[in-house]
Amino acid sequence: MGFFESIGRYAELMFEVFSKPQRWRLLGRQVVKEIEKLGIDSLGITIIISFFIGTAITTQMVLNTENPLLPKYVTGLTTRETLLLEFSSTILCLILAGKVGSNIASEIGTMRITEQIDALKIMGVNAANYLILPKIIGFVVIVPVLVIFSMFVGLLGGYLVGFTSGIIQPSVYVMGIQYAFNPFYVTYSLVKSLFFAFIIASTASYYGYYAYGGALEVGKASTKAVVNSSIIILLFNVLLTNIMLV
Amino acid sequence: MIEVRNVTKSFNNVTVLHNISATFEAGKTNLIIGQSGSGKTVLMKSIIGIHRVDEGQILYNGRDFTSMNRKEVVDLRQEVGMLFQGSALFDSMTVEENVRFPLEMFSQKPQEQWKERVDFCLNRVGLSHAAKLFPSEISGGMQKRAAIARAIVLEPTYLFCDEPNSGLDPKTSLTIDQLIREITVENNITTIINTHDMNSVMEIGDKIIFIHKGHKSWEGSKESIFDADNEDLNALVFASKLFQNVKKYHNR
Protein backbone atom coordinates (compact mmCIF):
# COMPACT_ATOMS: atom_id res chain seq x y z
CA MET A 1 0.00 0.00 0.00
CA GLY A 2 1.30 3.42 -0.97
CA PHE A 3 2.23 6.14 1.50
CA PHE A 4 -0.62 8.46 0.53
CA GLU A 5 -3.13 5.61 0.56
CA SER A 6 -2.04 4.79 4.11
CA ILE A 7 -2.43 8.43 5.14
CA GLY A 8 -5.90 8.43 3.60
CA ARG A 9 -6.97 5.27 5.40
CA TYR A 10 -5.54 6.62 8.65
CA ALA A 11 -7.50 9.88 8.21
CA GLU A 12 -10.65 7.92 7.37
CA LEU A 13 -10.20 5.79 10.48
CA MET A 14 -9.63 8.84 12.69
CA PHE A 15 -12.79 10.42 11.25
CA GLU A 16 -14.73 7.37 12.42
CA VAL A 17 -12.91 7.29 15.75
CA PHE A 18 -13.76 10.91 16.56
CA SER A 19 -17.42 10.69 15.60
CA LYS A 20 -20.02 11.03 18.35
CA PRO A 21 -20.04 8.00 20.68
CA GLN A 22 -23.22 5.93 20.60
CA ARG A 23 -23.23 5.56 24.41
CA TRP A 24 -21.35 8.14 26.51
CA ARG A 25 -21.67 5.99 29.63
CA LEU A 26 -19.92 3.08 27.90
CA LEU A 27 -17.20 5.41 26.66
CA GLY A 28 -16.54 6.64 30.21
CA ARG A 29 -16.31 3.09 31.50
CA GLN A 30 -13.96 2.06 28.68
CA VAL A 31 -11.71 5.09 29.23
CA VAL A 32 -11.26 4.19 32.90
CA LYS A 33 -10.38 0.60 31.90
CA GLU A 34 -7.85 1.82 29.33
CA ILE A 35 -6.24 4.24 31.79
CA GLU A 36 -5.67 1.29 34.07
CA LYS A 37 -4.55 -1.13 31.36
CA LEU A 38 -2.34 1.19 29.30
CA GLY A 39 -1.24 3.67 31.94
CA ILE A 40 -1.30 2.33 35.48
CA ASP A 41 0.14 -0.98 34.30
CA SER A 42 3.02 0.96 32.70
CA LEU A 43 3.88 2.72 35.95
CA GLY A 44 6.22 -0.07 37.09
CA ILE A 45 8.38 -0.04 33.97
CA THR A 46 8.37 3.78 33.98
CA ILE A 47 9.68 3.90 37.53
CA ILE A 48 12.31 1.21 37.02
CA ILE A 49 13.69 2.67 33.78
CA SER A 50 13.58 6.28 35.00
CA PHE A 51 15.31 5.43 38.26
CA PHE A 52 18.21 3.61 36.62
CA ILE A 53 18.56 6.16 33.82
CA GLY A 54 18.64 8.91 36.48
CA THR A 55 21.43 7.12 38.34
CA ALA A 56 23.37 6.44 35.11
CA ILE A 57 23.08 10.03 33.86
CA THR A 58 24.23 11.42 37.22
CA THR A 59 27.19 9.03 37.36
CA GLN A 60 28.28 9.85 33.81
CA MET A 61 27.88 13.58 34.40
CA VAL A 62 30.08 13.37 37.47
CA LEU A 63 32.73 11.45 35.53
CA ASN A 64 32.59 13.73 32.47
CA THR A 65 32.52 17.07 34.25
CA GLU A 66 35.56 16.66 36.46
CA ASN A 67 37.04 19.83 35.01
CA PRO A 68 37.97 22.20 37.90
CA LEU A 69 36.59 25.09 35.83
CA LEU A 70 33.10 23.61 35.99
CA PRO A 71 31.13 24.00 39.22
CA LYS A 72 30.11 20.73 40.93
CA TYR A 73 26.42 21.55 40.76
CA VAL A 74 26.54 21.23 36.96
CA THR A 75 25.95 17.48 37.46
CA GLY A 76 22.50 18.08 38.97
CA LEU A 77 21.73 20.74 36.37
CA THR A 78 22.58 18.56 33.37
CA THR A 79 20.80 15.54 34.85
CA ARG A 80 17.69 17.67 35.29
CA GLU A 81 17.85 19.11 31.79
CA THR A 82 18.41 15.70 30.19
CA LEU A 83 15.49 14.18 32.05
CA LEU A 84 13.11 17.11 31.54
CA LEU A 85 13.91 17.88 27.94
CA GLU A 86 14.40 14.46 26.38
CA PHE A 87 14.31 11.36 28.53
CA SER A 88 11.03 11.69 30.43
CA SER A 89 9.06 12.66 27.35
CA THR A 90 10.71 11.37 24.17
CA ILE A 91 12.68 8.34 25.33
CA LEU A 92 10.00 7.24 27.76
CA CYS A 93 7.40 7.48 24.99
CA LEU A 94 9.64 5.45 22.67
CA ILE A 95 9.73 2.77 25.35
CA LEU A 96 5.96 3.00 25.78
CA ALA A 97 5.55 2.76 22.01
CA GLY A 98 7.06 -0.72 22.34
CA LYS A 99 5.01 -1.79 25.32
CA VAL A 100 1.66 -0.08 24.74
CA GLY A 101 1.85 0.11 20.93
CA SER A 102 2.34 -3.63 20.52
CA ASN A 103 -0.36 -4.28 23.11
CA ILE A 104 -2.94 -2.13 21.29
CA ALA A 105 -2.05 -3.41 17.80
CA SER A 106 -2.14 -7.06 18.82
CA GLU A 107 -5.37 -6.66 20.80
CA ILE A 108 -7.26 -4.92 18.00
CA GLY A 109 -5.60 -7.11 15.33
CA THR A 110 -6.72 -10.26 17.15
CA MET A 111 -10.24 -8.85 17.41
CA ARG A 112 -10.13 -8.24 13.66
CA ILE A 113 -9.00 -11.72 12.65
CA THR A 114 -11.38 -13.46 15.07
CA GLU A 115 -14.29 -11.47 13.55
CA GLN A 116 -15.04 -9.61 16.80
CA ILE A 117 -14.84 -6.30 14.94
CA ASP A 118 -17.22 -7.67 12.28
CA ALA A 119 -19.55 -8.73 15.10
CA LEU A 120 -19.56 -5.15 16.41
CA LYS A 121 -20.28 -3.80 12.94
CA ILE A 122 -23.13 -6.23 12.36
CA MET A 123 -24.70 -5.07 15.62
CA GLY A 124 -24.57 -1.52 14.28
CA VAL A 125 -21.75 -0.42 16.57
CA ASN A 126 -19.17 2.06 15.26
CA ALA A 127 -16.32 -0.36 16.00
CA ALA A 128 -13.54 2.19 15.46
CA ASN A 129 -15.14 4.65 17.83
CA TYR A 130 -16.01 2.02 20.44
CA LEU A 131 -12.59 0.34 20.44
CA ILE A 132 -10.10 3.07 19.61
CA LEU A 133 -11.42 6.32 21.11
CA PRO A 134 -11.18 5.09 24.74
CA LYS A 135 -7.60 3.96 24.11
CA ILE A 136 -6.59 7.33 22.69
CA ILE A 137 -8.33 9.34 25.42
CA GLY A 138 -7.07 7.04 28.18
CA PHE A 139 -3.49 7.08 26.98
CA VAL A 140 -3.39 10.83 26.30
CA VAL A 141 -4.71 11.42 29.83
CA ILE A 142 -2.30 9.09 31.61
CA VAL A 143 0.97 9.68 29.73
CA PRO A 144 1.62 13.17 31.19
CA VAL A 145 1.21 11.59 34.64
CA LEU A 146 3.79 8.95 33.70
CA VAL A 147 6.11 11.68 32.42
CA ILE A 148 5.89 13.57 35.72
CA PHE A 149 6.58 10.33 37.61
CA SER A 150 9.54 9.69 35.34
CA MET A 151 11.01 13.17 35.98
CA PHE A 152 10.63 12.81 39.72
CA VAL A 153 11.96 9.24 39.94
CA GLY A 154 14.87 10.00 37.57
CA LEU A 155 15.98 12.95 39.69
CA LEU A 156 15.52 10.82 42.80
CA GLY A 157 17.75 8.13 41.25
CA GLY A 158 20.48 10.71 40.71
CA TYR A 159 20.15 11.89 44.29
CA LEU A 160 20.33 8.36 45.69
CA VAL A 161 23.40 7.38 43.65
CA GLY A 162 25.17 10.47 44.94
CA PHE A 163 24.03 9.72 48.45
CA THR A 164 25.01 6.03 48.48
CA SER A 165 28.22 6.10 46.43
CA GLY A 166 29.48 9.52 47.50
CA ILE A 167 30.42 10.58 43.95
CA ILE A 168 28.56 13.85 44.51
CA GLN A 169 27.38 15.52 47.66
CA PRO A 170 23.56 15.38 47.86
CA SER A 171 23.33 19.06 48.77
CA VAL A 172 25.38 20.01 45.69
CA TYR A 173 23.20 17.77 43.52
CA VAL A 174 20.03 19.36 44.92
CA MET A 175 21.49 22.80 44.31
CA GLY A 176 22.20 21.76 40.70
CA ILE A 177 18.68 20.54 40.01
CA GLN A 178 17.30 23.84 41.35
CA TYR A 179 19.79 26.09 39.56
CA ALA A 180 18.45 28.19 36.66
CA PHE A 181 15.27 26.13 36.55
CA ASN A 182 12.99 27.02 33.67
CA PRO A 183 9.41 25.81 34.39
CA PHE A 184 8.60 26.05 30.68
CA TYR A 185 10.73 22.95 30.11
CA VAL A 186 8.19 20.95 32.10
CA THR A 187 5.36 22.40 30.01
CA TYR A 188 7.35 21.63 26.85
CA SER A 189 7.88 18.07 27.97
CA LEU A 190 4.22 17.56 28.86
CA VAL A 191 3.01 19.04 25.57
CA LYS A 192 5.35 16.71 23.68
CA SER A 193 4.08 13.74 25.66
CA LEU A 194 0.47 14.54 24.69
CA PHE A 195 1.40 14.43 21.01
CA PHE A 196 3.42 11.25 21.47
CA ALA A 197 0.61 9.52 23.36
CA PHE A 198 -1.79 10.30 20.53
CA ILE A 199 0.72 9.06 17.96
CA ILE A 200 1.31 5.78 19.80
CA ALA A 201 -2.36 4.99 20.46
CA SER A 202 -3.66 6.02 17.04
CA THR A 203 -0.85 4.45 14.97
CA ALA A 204 -1.05 1.15 16.85
CA SER A 205 -4.84 1.14 16.53
CA TYR A 206 -4.56 1.81 12.80
CA TYR A 207 -2.25 -1.15 12.21
CA GLY A 208 -4.35 -3.44 14.41
CA TYR A 209 -7.63 -2.35 12.85
CA TYR A 210 -6.48 -3.10 9.31
CA ALA A 211 -4.77 -6.40 10.14
CA TYR A 212 -6.09 -9.20 7.93
CA GLY A 213 -5.23 -12.87 7.79
CA GLY A 214 -3.96 -14.85 10.75
CA ALA A 215 -1.64 -14.73 13.73
CA LEU A 216 1.31 -13.95 11.47
CA GLU A 217 -0.39 -10.77 10.24
CA VAL A 218 -1.16 -9.70 13.78
CA GLY A 219 2.52 -10.08 14.64
CA LYS A 220 3.48 -8.04 11.58
CA ALA A 221 0.90 -5.37 12.45
CA SER A 222 2.32 -5.16 15.95
CA THR A 223 5.88 -4.76 14.66
CA LYS A 224 4.83 -2.11 12.13
CA ALA A 225 2.95 -0.25 14.85
CA VAL A 226 6.03 -0.05 17.07
CA VAL A 227 8.49 0.83 14.31
CA ASN A 228 6.33 3.45 12.62
CA SER A 229 5.09 5.11 15.80
CA SER A 230 8.72 5.35 16.98
CA ILE A 231 9.74 7.04 13.72
CA ILE A 232 6.79 9.45 13.88
CA ILE A 233 7.62 10.28 17.50
CA LEU A 234 11.20 11.14 16.52
CA LEU A 235 9.99 13.34 13.65
CA PHE A 236 7.51 15.15 15.87
CA ASN A 237 10.20 15.55 18.53
CA VAL A 238 12.29 17.57 16.09
CA LEU A 239 9.25 19.50 14.89
CA LEU A 240 7.93 20.37 18.36
CA THR A 241 11.37 21.26 19.66
CA ASN A 242 11.78 23.72 16.81
CA ILE A 243 8.34 25.18 17.34
CA MET A 244 8.48 25.44 21.13
CA LEU A 245 12.13 26.04 21.99
CA VAL A 246 13.86 27.65 19.03
CA MET B 1 -38.10 -11.76 4.08
CA ILE B 2 -34.84 -10.95 2.36
CA GLU B 3 -34.58 -10.65 -1.40
CA VAL B 4 -31.29 -10.69 -3.26
CA ARG B 5 -31.56 -9.34 -6.80
CA ASN B 6 -28.84 -9.74 -9.43
CA VAL B 7 -25.96 -9.37 -6.99
CA THR B 8 -22.44 -9.27 -8.40
CA LYS B 9 -19.28 -8.92 -6.34
CA SER B 10 -15.62 -8.83 -7.38
CA PHE B 11 -12.33 -8.65 -5.52
CA ASN B 12 -9.27 -7.36 -7.41
CA ASN B 13 -10.96 -7.93 -10.79
CA VAL B 14 -11.90 -11.50 -9.87
CA THR B 15 -15.68 -11.92 -9.90
CA VAL B 16 -16.69 -14.00 -6.89
CA LEU B 17 -20.48 -13.68 -7.21
CA HIS B 18 -22.16 -13.68 -10.61
CA ASN B 19 -25.61 -12.12 -10.87
CA ILE B 20 -27.16 -13.99 -7.95
CA SER B 21 -30.85 -13.68 -7.15
CA ALA B 22 -32.62 -15.45 -4.31
CA THR B 23 -35.43 -15.05 -1.79
CA PHE B 24 -35.10 -15.99 1.88
CA GLU B 25 -38.40 -16.39 3.67
CA ALA B 26 -39.39 -15.54 7.23
CA GLY B 27 -39.94 -18.32 9.77
CA LYS B 28 -37.84 -20.70 7.70
CA THR B 29 -34.25 -21.86 7.84
CA ASN B 30 -32.76 -20.86 4.52
CA LEU B 31 -29.49 -22.62 3.78
CA ILE B 32 -26.75 -21.49 1.43
CA ILE B 33 -24.64 -24.49 0.59
CA GLY B 34 -21.59 -24.97 -1.58
CA GLN B 35 -18.03 -26.21 -1.55
CA SER B 36 -15.31 -24.24 0.16
CA GLY B 37 -14.40 -21.26 -2.01
CA SER B 38 -17.71 -21.31 -3.88
CA GLY B 39 -18.63 -17.79 -2.69
CA LYS B 40 -21.27 -18.59 -0.07
CA THR B 41 -19.55 -16.65 2.72
CA VAL B 42 -19.04 -13.67 0.38
CA LEU B 43 -22.75 -13.85 -0.47
CA MET B 44 -23.70 -13.83 3.19
CA LYS B 45 -21.29 -11.02 4.03
CA SER B 46 -22.64 -9.06 1.06
CA ILE B 47 -26.20 -9.51 2.29
CA ILE B 48 -25.21 -8.23 5.74
CA GLY B 49 -23.15 -5.40 4.30
CA ILE B 50 -19.66 -6.40 5.43
CA HIS B 51 -18.88 -6.41 1.69
CA ARG B 52 -20.38 -3.76 -0.55
CA VAL B 53 -21.89 -5.32 -3.68
CA ASP B 54 -20.77 -4.08 -7.12
CA GLU B 55 -24.20 -4.48 -8.68
CA GLY B 56 -27.65 -5.58 -7.62
CA GLN B 57 -30.06 -4.98 -4.77
CA ILE B 58 -30.59 -6.50 -1.33
CA LEU B 59 -34.07 -5.97 0.07
CA TYR B 60 -34.95 -6.44 3.74
CA ASN B 61 -38.76 -6.66 3.78
CA GLY B 62 -38.77 -4.39 0.74
CA ARG B 63 -36.20 -1.89 2.09
CA ASP B 64 -33.24 -1.59 -0.25
CA PHE B 65 -30.15 -2.09 1.89
CA THR B 66 -27.77 -1.10 -0.92
CA SER B 67 -29.17 2.44 -1.10
CA MET B 68 -29.50 3.09 2.65
CA ASN B 69 -27.64 5.92 4.36
CA ARG B 70 -25.41 5.35 7.38
CA LYS B 71 -28.14 5.92 9.97
CA GLU B 72 -30.59 3.64 8.20
CA VAL B 73 -27.92 0.92 8.08
CA VAL B 74 -27.27 1.29 11.83
CA ASP B 75 -31.01 1.11 12.52
CA LEU B 76 -31.42 -1.95 10.30
CA ARG B 77 -28.53 -3.72 11.95
CA GLN B 78 -30.34 -3.66 15.25
CA GLU B 79 -32.83 -6.00 13.59
CA VAL B 80 -30.02 -8.37 12.62
CA GLY B 81 -28.37 -11.09 14.69
CA MET B 82 -25.34 -13.00 13.53
CA LEU B 83 -23.65 -16.20 14.58
CA PHE B 84 -20.06 -16.23 13.33
CA GLN B 85 -18.05 -19.28 12.35
CA GLY B 86 -15.66 -18.75 15.26
CA SER B 87 -18.42 -17.41 17.55
CA ALA B 88 -16.68 -13.99 17.73
CA LEU B 89 -17.47 -13.55 21.41
CA PHE B 90 -15.64 -10.65 23.04
CA ASP B 91 -12.69 -12.18 24.92
CA SER B 92 -12.60 -9.50 27.58
CA MET B 93 -16.23 -10.02 28.62
CA THR B 94 -17.94 -12.87 30.43
CA VAL B 95 -20.71 -14.82 28.69
CA GLU B 96 -23.31 -12.71 30.49
CA GLU B 97 -21.58 -9.43 29.53
CA ASN B 98 -21.36 -10.61 25.92
CA VAL B 99 -25.10 -11.23 25.83
CA ARG B 100 -25.87 -7.95 27.62
CA PHE B 101 -23.64 -5.88 25.32
CA PRO B 102 -26.19 -5.26 22.50
CA LEU B 103 -28.75 -4.17 25.13
CA GLU B 104 -26.26 -1.73 26.70
CA MET B 105 -25.51 -0.35 23.28
CA PHE B 106 -28.98 -0.04 21.81
CA SER B 107 -31.83 -0.95 24.13
CA GLN B 108 -34.22 1.82 25.10
CA LYS B 109 -35.69 -0.36 27.85
CA PRO B 110 -34.84 0.31 31.51
CA GLN B 111 -31.74 -1.43 32.85
CA GLU B 112 -33.79 -3.61 35.20
CA GLN B 113 -35.32 -5.33 32.18
CA TRP B 114 -31.91 -6.06 30.67
CA LYS B 115 -31.09 -8.66 33.27
CA GLU B 116 -34.43 -10.34 32.73
CA ARG B 117 -33.81 -10.52 28.96
CA VAL B 118 -30.20 -11.73 29.38
CA ASP B 119 -31.33 -14.41 31.82
CA PHE B 120 -34.07 -15.47 29.41
CA CYS B 121 -31.65 -15.76 26.47
CA LEU B 122 -29.03 -17.63 28.49
CA ASN B 123 -31.70 -19.96 29.79
CA ARG B 124 -33.05 -20.45 26.25
CA VAL B 125 -29.66 -21.71 25.04
CA GLY B 126 -29.02 -23.64 28.26
CA LEU B 127 -26.13 -21.56 29.49
CA SER B 128 -27.43 -20.07 32.73
CA HIS B 129 -24.75 -21.94 34.68
CA ALA B 130 -21.93 -20.45 32.56
CA ALA B 131 -22.98 -16.80 32.77
CA LYS B 132 -19.96 -15.68 34.78
CA LEU B 133 -17.38 -17.58 32.72
CA PHE B 134 -15.19 -16.07 30.02
CA PRO B 135 -15.31 -17.42 26.44
CA SER B 136 -11.89 -19.02 26.88
CA GLU B 137 -13.25 -21.03 29.81
CA ILE B 138 -16.08 -22.74 27.92
CA SER B 139 -16.21 -25.35 25.15
CA GLY B 140 -16.70 -24.64 21.43
CA GLY B 141 -20.32 -25.78 21.56
CA MET B 142 -21.03 -23.54 24.55
CA GLN B 143 -19.38 -20.63 22.75
CA LYS B 144 -21.75 -21.16 19.83
CA ARG B 145 -24.72 -21.21 22.18
CA ALA B 146 -23.50 -18.05 23.89
CA ALA B 147 -23.14 -16.42 20.46
CA ILE B 148 -26.72 -17.46 19.63
CA ALA B 149 -27.91 -15.91 22.90
CA ARG B 150 -26.10 -12.67 22.01
CA ALA B 151 -27.54 -12.76 18.48
CA ILE B 152 -31.15 -13.06 19.69
CA VAL B 153 -31.01 -10.74 22.69
CA LEU B 154 -32.38 -7.76 20.73
CA GLU B 155 -35.14 -9.96 19.30
CA PRO B 156 -33.89 -9.80 15.70
CA THR B 157 -36.01 -10.07 12.59
CA TYR B 158 -33.12 -11.56 10.64
CA LEU B 159 -30.58 -14.14 11.82
CA PHE B 160 -27.41 -15.04 9.94
CA CYS B 161 -25.33 -18.09 10.79
CA ASP B 162 -21.96 -18.65 9.16
CA GLU B 163 -20.93 -22.31 9.39
CA PRO B 164 -22.63 -22.80 12.75
CA ASN B 165 -21.35 -26.38 13.08
CA SER B 166 -17.71 -25.95 12.17
CA GLY B 167 -15.42 -27.57 14.69
CA LEU B 168 -18.25 -29.27 16.58
CA ASP B 169 -18.93 -32.95 17.11
CA PRO B 170 -22.07 -34.41 15.42
CA LYS B 171 -24.15 -34.45 18.62
CA THR B 172 -23.36 -30.84 19.52
CA SER B 173 -23.93 -29.85 15.87
CA LEU B 174 -27.38 -31.36 16.06
CA THR B 175 -28.12 -29.43 19.27
CA ILE B 176 -27.04 -26.16 17.63
CA ASP B 177 -29.07 -26.91 14.47
CA GLN B 178 -32.19 -27.67 16.48
CA LEU B 179 -31.71 -24.56 18.60
CA ILE B 180 -31.44 -22.35 15.52
CA ARG B 181 -34.50 -23.95 13.97
CA GLU B 182 -36.58 -23.63 17.14
CA ILE B 183 -35.64 -19.97 17.57
CA THR B 184 -36.43 -19.29 13.90
CA VAL B 185 -39.91 -20.79 14.12
CA GLU B 186 -40.72 -19.41 17.61
CA ASN B 187 -39.91 -15.83 16.62
CA ASN B 188 -40.74 -15.99 12.89
CA ILE B 189 -37.18 -14.93 12.05
CA THR B 190 -35.71 -14.90 8.54
CA THR B 191 -32.72 -17.16 9.10
CA ILE B 192 -29.92 -17.64 6.59
CA ILE B 193 -27.34 -20.32 7.28
CA ASN B 194 -24.10 -20.92 5.43
CA THR B 195 -23.02 -24.50 5.63
CA HIS B 196 -21.45 -27.42 3.85
CA ASP B 197 -22.54 -29.85 6.52
CA MET B 198 -24.99 -32.23 4.85
CA ASN B 199 -26.34 -33.37 8.22
CA SER B 200 -27.51 -29.79 8.80
CA VAL B 201 -29.03 -29.68 5.34
CA MET B 202 -31.06 -32.79 6.10
CA GLU B 203 -31.94 -31.63 9.60
CA ILE B 204 -33.05 -28.03 9.12
CA GLY B 205 -32.96 -27.18 5.40
CA ASP B 206 -36.39 -25.67 4.71
CA LYS B 207 -35.01 -23.93 1.67
CA ILE B 208 -31.65 -24.62 0.08
CA ILE B 209 -29.64 -22.53 -2.34
CA PHE B 210 -26.60 -24.15 -3.90
CA ILE B 211 -23.75 -21.86 -4.93
CA HIS B 212 -21.13 -23.18 -7.31
CA LYS B 213 -18.17 -21.10 -8.50
CA GLY B 214 -20.02 -17.90 -7.64
CA HIS B 215 -23.22 -18.82 -9.50
CA LYS B 216 -26.55 -19.88 -8.05
CA SER B 217 -26.62 -23.37 -9.43
CA TRP B 218 -29.69 -24.89 -7.77
CA GLU B 219 -32.56 -24.03 -5.45
CA GLY B 220 -34.97 -26.35 -3.66
CA SER B 221 -35.86 -28.11 -0.43
CA LYS B 222 -34.15 -30.93 1.49
CA GLU B 223 -36.80 -33.31 0.18
CA SER B 224 -35.93 -32.54 -3.45
CA ILE B 225 -32.16 -32.55 -3.05
CA PHE B 226 -31.81 -36.29 -3.78
CA ASP B 227 -33.59 -35.88 -7.11
CA ALA B 228 -31.70 -32.79 -8.17
CA ASP B 229 -30.51 -32.88 -11.73
CA ASN B 230 -27.29 -31.04 -10.97
CA GLU B 231 -23.92 -32.76 -11.22
CA ASP B 232 -22.09 -30.27 -9.04
CA LEU B 233 -24.71 -30.50 -6.31
CA ASN B 234 -24.70 -34.29 -6.48
CA ALA B 235 -20.91 -34.26 -6.18
CA LEU B 236 -21.23 -32.26 -2.95
CA VAL B 237 -24.18 -34.13 -1.46
CA PHE B 238 -22.98 -37.59 -2.28
CA ALA B 239 -19.34 -37.05 -1.45
CA SER B 240 -19.82 -39.09 1.70
CA LYS B 241 -20.61 -42.82 1.68
CA LEU B 242 -23.37 -42.18 4.18
CA PHE B 243 -25.37 -40.04 1.78
CA GLN B 244 -24.74 -42.45 -1.10
CA ASN B 245 -26.47 -45.07 1.04
CA VAL B 246 -29.25 -42.64 1.91
CA LYS B 247 -29.80 -42.03 -1.81
CA LYS B 248 -29.98 -45.78 -2.49
CA TYR B 249 -32.54 -46.09 0.31
CA HIS B 250 -34.43 -43.05 -1.01
CA ASN B 251 -34.55 -44.46 -4.55
CA ARG B 252 -35.93 -47.80 -3.28
Side-chain angles (χ1 to χ4, degrees):
Chain A
M1 190 189 298
F3 175 74
F4 291 108
E5 198 182 337
S6 298
I7 297 285
R9 286 181 84 186
Y10 174 82
E12 203 175 61
L13 180 66
M14 288 303 117
F15 183 75
E16 273 186 60
V17 167
F18 288 101
S19 55
K20 187 183 161 203
Q22 286 161 296
R23 280 281 188 270
W24 287 99
R25 196 173 54 82
L26 276 183
L27 174 70
R29 198 173 72 189
Q30 291 293 101
V31 167
V32 172
K33 273 189 190 172
E34 296 301 341
I35 286 176
E36 186 188 345
K37 192 171 72 184
L38 304 178
I40 309 296
D41 288 356
S42 300
L43 199 57
I45 193 169
T46 302
I47 289 173
I48 292 168
I49 292 173
S50 302
F51 180 83
F52 286 105
I53 291 291
T55 59
I57 291 173
T58 304
T59 309
Q60 287 180 16
M61 284 304 154
V62 170
L63 298 175
N64 288 292
T65 55
E66 281 184 323
N67 191 323
L69 295 174
L70 287 170
K72 290 281 181 198
Y73 64 76
V74 82
T75 299
L77 188 147
T78 46
T79 302
R80 182 197 74 204
E81 301 294 58
T82 309
L83 287 169
L84 258 59
L85 290 170
E86 278 306 304
F87 177 77
S88 293
S89 52
T90 313
I91 307 298
L92 180 71
C93 282
L94 285 173
I95 293 162
L96 291 177
K99 181 186 179 288
V100 174
S102 61
N103 177 305
I104 291 174
S106 55
E107 182 189 323
I108 296 179
T110 304
M111 288 189 79
R112 165 65 75 190
I113 64 160
T114 55
E115 297 181 309
Q116 292 176 50
I117 290 179
D118 287 340
L120 284 169
K121 282 186 175 175
I122 300 290
M123 286 176 203
V125 177
N126 178 344
N129 176 276
Y130 174 75
L131 292 174
I132 300 173
L133 187 61
K135 291 185 191 304
I136 293 179
I137 295 175
F139 201 50
V140 167
V141 166
I142 199 67
V143 160
V145 178
L146 295 177
V147 168
I148 290 168
F149 256 93
S150 169
M151 289 171 182
F152 177 76
V153 174
L155 291 173
L156 184 71
Y159 178 86
L160 288 177
V161 78
F163 182 76
T164 52
S165 68
I167 55 171
I168 182 169
Q169 278 187 345
S171 57
V172 176
Y173 177 79
V174 171
M175 185 190 159
I177 61 175
Q178 291 174 330
Y179 185 79
F181 174 63
N182 183 352
F184 179 71
Y185 287 177
V186 177
T187 310
Y188 158 76
S189 198
L190 293 176
V191 169
K192 279 205 303 183
S193 72
L194 291 173
F195 277 89
F196 298 160
F198 177 80
I199 289 165
I200 294 167
S202 63
T203 309
S205 299
Y206 166 77
Y207 282 105
Y209 198 78
Y210 289 117
Y212 282 97
L216 193 68
E217 302 305 318
V218 175
K220 280 182 188 170
S222 186
T223 307
K224 278 183 192 169
V226 174
V227 171
N228 289 326
S229 57
S230 300
I231 293 168
I232 300 168
I233 284 172
L234 292 170
L235 288 171
F236 266 76
N237 187 36
V238 175
L239 193 71
L240 290 168
T241 304
N242 277 282
I243 292 170
M244 295 183 74
L245 291 186
V246 176
Chain B
M1 185 175 77
I2 296 175
E3 265 184 278
V4 174
R5 287 185 191 162
N6 310 109
V7 162
T8 298
K9 175 68 188 167
S10 305
F11 293 101
N12 300 324
N13 298 324
V14 177
T15 306
V16 181
L17 299 178
H18 301 264
N19 198 32
I20 290 190
S21 295
T23 304
F24 304 98
E25 291 165 41
K28 289 186 176 176
T29 42
N30 302 276
L31 269 60
I32 303 172
I33 64 168
Q35 290 178 319
S36 300
S38 59
K40 57 187 190 300
T41 299
V42 174
L43 175 60
M44 179 176 271
K45 289 189 172 178
S46 299
I47 296 171
I48 311 163
I50 292 179
H51 300 317
R52 192 173 292 176
V53 296
D54 301 333
E55 285 171 35
Q57 283 182 308
I58 294 156
L59 305 171
Y60 282 76
N61 283 339
R63 295 169 291 171
D64 186 1
F65 179 65
T66 50
S67 63
M68 282 182 183
N69 63 33
R70 201 185 175 99
K71 191 187 174 301
E72 288 170 331
V73 169
V74 170
D75 289 344
L76 176 71
R77 282 190 169 152
Q78 286 158 47
E79 298 172 33
V80 171
M82 172 132 188
L83 173 61
F84 283 87
Q85 191 172 357
S87 300
L89 294 171
F90 305 125
D91 302 327
S92 57
M93 298 180 192
T94 62
V95 168
E96 186 182 27
E97 287 165 348
N98 263 286
V99 177
R100 196 175 58 223
F101 180 77
L103 292 169
E104 283 187 295
M105 214 66 204
F106 298 109
S107 179
Q108 305 299 327
K109 291 176 185 168
Q111 281 195 34
E112 304 79 59
Q113 289 181 24
W114 295 358
K115 185 165 172 29
E116 209 175 290
R117 179 68 188 156
V118 170
D119 288 347
F120 171 81
C121 291
L122 285 175
N123 191 40
R124 182 67 192 81
V125 300
L127 273 186
S128 300
H129 64 288
K132 303 290 176 200
L133 298 176
F134 283 91
S136 58
E137 296 170 327
I138 58 177
S139 69
M142 288 165 83
Q143 285 180 12
K144 296 272 181 181
R145 284 190 277 151
I148 292 173
R150 186 179 67 181
I152 62 168
V153 76
L154 286 177
E155 301 174 65
T157 314
Y158 314 98
L159 180 65
F160 294 88
C161 307
D162 187 17
E163 305 277 7
N165 300 325
S166 68
L168 300 180
D169 64 85
K171 190 168 178 283
T172 311
S173 294
L174 190 65
T175 310
I176 297 292
D177 283 341
Q178 284 169 347
L179 188 59
I180 293 170
R181 177 151 177 74
E182 285 166 14
I183 287 167
T184 300
V185 175
E186 276 167 26
N187 303 290
N188 197 33
I189 297 173
T190 304
T191 299
I192 302 179
I193 303 169
N194 250 353
T195 189
H196 50 222
D197 180 357
M198 293 315 297
N199 291 318
S200 289
V201 172
M202 289 299 127
E203 189 65 33
I204 57 169
D206 290 337
K207 180 173 183 177
I208 299 157
I209 287 164
F210 174 58
I211 304 290
H212 184 69
K213 293 182 179 170
H215 295 269
K216 188 176 93 174
S217 180
W218 182 84
E219 186 177 339
S221 65
K222 66 182 176 188
E223 289 80 18
S224 59
I225 204 165
F226 288 115
D227 304 321
D229 185 19
N230 185 310
E231 273 184 32
D232 301 316
L233 177 63
N234 289 341
L236 176 74
V237 175
F238 304 115
S240 90
K241 274 256 173 5
L242 176 66
F243 281 94
Q244 289 172 16
N245 292 336
V246 172
K247 188 182 184 184
K248 281 178 201 162
Y249 179 79
H250 181 80
N251 289 340
R252 247 187 269 160

